[in-house]
Amino acid sequence: MSLIACLVFFITGWQSEPDSSRAFQQDTLELSTVEVHAAALRKYAFGQWVRTLDRDRLDQLSGYSLGEVLQQETGLFLRQYGAGMLASLSMRGTSAGHNALFWNGLPVNSPSLGQADYSIFPTGGFDNVNIHYGSSGALYGTDAIGGSVHLSSDLEFNTPNELRIGTVLGSFGRWHQQVSYRQGGEKFSFRTNVYRNFAANKFTYKDWASPGTPERQQEHARVSQIGLVQDFAFKISPRQFLKANLWVNKNDRQIQPLLGSAANDVQEDRSVRSAVDYTYKGEKYTWTAKTGISSDVMVFNQDTNQTRLFLLGTALDYSFSQKWQTLAGIRYSHIKGQLATYSRQEQRIELYQATNFKPTQDLGISMQLRQLIQEGEAAPFTPSLGAEWSFFNSPGWNWKLTGNLSRSFKIPTLNDRFWVPGGNPDLLSEKSLSKEIGISSTGDLSSFRIENRLTYFHMDVDNWILWLPQSTYWQAENVRSVRNQGLEYYFKTTLKQGRNSWGINVDYALNGAVNQSGDQGNNLSVGKQLPYVPRHKLRTQGKLENGPYSVYVQQQWTSERFVTTDNQTVLAPYSLWDTGVTYAFEWKGKLKGNLGFHAYNLFNVDYQVVRLRSMPGRNFQFNLNVVL
Amino acid sequence: MKKMKLACKLFLLALLVSCGTDPVEIPQGAYENGVLIINEGAFGANDGEVYHFDKNTAEVEANVFENINTRPFAGLLQDLISYEDYTYLVANTGKVEVVQSSDFMSVGAVTNDLVNSRSMVRADGKLFISDWGPYDATWSNTESFVAVVEDLTGGEIAYKIPTPSRPEGLAFIGDRILVACQLGTIAVIEIGEDEVEKTITVEGTPFFFFDYEGNKYLYANDSEKIYLHKLNSATFEVVETLEFSVSNSIYNGNFTINNNGELFVISNQATEDVVVKLSITSGSVVDEDFYSGSNFYGLGYDDNTQTLYIGEHNGWQGNGTVLRVNSQGVLIDEVSVGRGPSGFYFP
């Protein structure tokens, strides 16, 4: 309660400050390249929040996986099955398959599993991370029930050639190396980036499964990763642009065994992703065409599972006036899966349309519609309506009310429908109805900047698919209904004092995810919180910059998680503290870079994100980035 | 000094007399009464545990192993074998935990070199643990074995005896260990030897041995029938086979038997699970539908109270339930237990 009181204080306390700010900044500000992708995501998303992660922090976390970055930097919770192991995202209390992941606009959730393993997306493969909080199926299609995550690459024209070399050395045998070269001409630019990550993960853990709980060294958790990223951009004419991105990634893992198990599983993941985008910018319209391919091969011990997604799409974004804008598009996907027990191909066509209406400078309304047709069968029609009202503007201050009502859906995965045995071709799409309201403020007072954002959401998810035991095998069925509701709070402030710049960030998420149905008549589960959805996650960060020096301290606290649907087995809350210092250097304008030293899990907390999956204790990391 | 010696002698005499006439009772431990419920735990979660049910108060103690030993069992509990001194918790995730039967205090474990352990038996001061061994590329188990541990409280494996594929239940007769192997054989091992002496082919998929009226039986099944093979106590050959037409009896071979020679078996049918009652005496199915429901997984029969215990897994998403049913097939009550209740032990 005291926390909520603090949040209310932040919001109400600053309301009377005199200042002003413009509404709808995405339309009126000059945007850097970094923000272009985010702005495109935000344009038709009035009423919802698209958050861009801090680029400097991403640089400091080079060599880390997207999973580790989101766990450390946001209020989102990821189920991590060990160090460098499977990491699945849960947004707003939904399951791992209820959020969509995109790389340069290409959907990269596995078509067979319906989710992404966030541990095999290294930060070397993209420049920006944007997080769209909340149900957004009308904008992005299948899976975006709890939200979506968008990875993108930047490539600017007219930039000096740049060679960047990054090295990270860390505890337990962590070694990351990355080399990238960028050349940016007036009409053509490209960048080549190669990286290698290696983590022996020989950390000490307490073996709770053995008598005397001895300390042991982790022996079967080695992770190695290599990858190549190639980006191209052509300015065909002042109005025409072509962009191409390629990402090849290979990940080899020894699967860290569950405590008490003697398994020695190994997994190899190979992926090739490519996206080509054509853009024509007219006076009042922008026409885009996109094609892409995402190919994934996963070899678990001897079993090989391969999926391929081919995408072709086009969209027209037309601006009738300052008040009316509309976007219409069509997307075709061809999916092919060759799994250990079945093969399957299928096609999907999606039509979507979004409209922005801004009756006044302070009010924006978005409406989106999407219809997906899969193999001739219609998925649930997905409308969405959002609004943003800038109700208080003064010099330096802007206060907004936001709201959104939307439907989303998830097409049953290939495995859900066709795995032998137990795949169920008659499955219905999972579907959700989501409502959210929020209030946000930004204050910009010369040396002091503050941002507050509070959202309440309420969502009903139906036809939730579970695999349940039948007489001789397990089968996928639409059995679960869940009501998710909660709060998201975000706070950021910076204060400049002479050479010092102070900053505080707070992320808080309250997630209630309550099972309404029981699962196949299991009354013990009715009314209970879903497993591995912590009710609370709080993350705070304080940092101080002074000239070339920067120091930070951050903490994340995750509340208890239930292991079973009846909430009888509980995993203890944990709190982790990290700190680090970086020093930026420059030598005669020819060489620049930064040095960093970081300490993670400072108090050597013995914790498990998922029960019986050991996590590393205190560990250190040294990084050096040089730019020539 | 003499007085002291006399006093001591008198005291000892008094003690002996008192012992002879009124033996001092060692108090029974908390877990030597009631019902121990084996909860297998869910795959990938290693949350197998033992629950204790007090028949007098109907109270359940959850997570007995973790409560007593302040650490999780951390395994999938395949079997529980109890002797007067020690109880052995066999995990199919590759370990055997050894606890004192009276209070469940951990005294040791076998943790090294087990892969997929299934059951065990104690003989000649040794532990014999059946283990499927690793899976190969075609999901077969071609390196199955019985591990021999020469300390009753666990420790290192002294040696392994290769067996036919997928050994399950074991029995100790005379100086031999019998191993029920799923591919249709009984493997016979002479204690002290490091190889299988002979194998006996039987009908059905063998699972467990049991005793009835002084004879050793082997329980086996296939998709159509249940087989009870009566064994010769010297040659271990099958001397008689009772066949019962029960289709789709549960795949893990779970069953229970009472003192009257009545067997209870779960049959997975199209829309429900049914407990079928068989009689060894008559060699026939006594009741095709003794009790029906869904998600039935484990069975146990308490002869003292004439009560059948049925474990329900509730779809494995959460914890299970135990149904207590009287000898007439009428539900007495339901009890919430751990994940995947697969068996019961009545001390």
Side-chain angles (χ1 to χ4, degrees), chain A residues 209 258-261 565-566 568, chain B residues 46 74 93 95 97 316-319:
Chain A
L258 188 65
L259 283 181
S261 281
T565 51
D566 45 26
Q568 289 185 20
Chain B
N46 274 9
T93 38
K95 74 168 176 177
E97 291 274 1
W316 294 98
Q317 303 295 322
N319 282 354

Side-chain angles (χ1 to χ4, degrees), chain B residues 152-281:
Chain B
L152 295 183
T153 60
E156 297 297 318
I157 292 171
Y159 57 96
K160 291 180 179 178
I161 304 165
T163 66
S165 184
R166 299 192 176 176
E168 290 281 353
L170 301 108
F172 171 44
I173 311 183
D175 57 354
R176 298 290 197 281
I177 301 291
L178 305 187
V179 190
C181 299
Q182 274 202 11
L183 293 197
T185 56
I186 301 170
V188 181
I189 297 167
E190 186 178 356
I191 290 173
E193 299 298 321
D194 60 0
E195 60 184 13
V196 168
E197 182 184 359
K198 66 172 180 178
T199 57
I200 296 153
T201 303
V202 297
E203 208 159 353
T205 301
F207 281 99
F208 305 105
F209 298 95
F210 65 94
D211 294 305
Y212 179 65
E213 291 190 335
N215 292 308
K216 189 67 77 185
Y217 284 81
L218 171 67
Y219 176 95
N221 69 1
D222 62 23
S223 60
E224 301 295 324
K225 288 178 181 169
I226 284 167
Y227 306 91
L228 303 182
H229 301 294
K230 187 175 173 182
L231 307 180
N232 180 300
S233 58
T235 65
F236 316 114
E237 298 288 342
V238 175
V239 292
E240 184 188 358
T241 295
L242 301 174
E243 292 185 12
F244 304 86
S245 292
V246 177
S247 60
N248 299 320
S249 51
I250 192 165
Y251 60 90
N252 59 14
N254 277 353
F255 71 95
T256 190
I257 180 172
N258 65 18
N259 286 343
N260 301 325
E262 292 169 332
L263 243 84
F264 297 86
V265 179
I266 295 166
S267 167
N268 299 124
Q269 298 183 1
T271 55
E272 60 179 4
D273 295 333
V274 176
V275 175
V276 181
K277 185 173 163 185
L278 321 173
S279 167
I280 299 182
T281 325

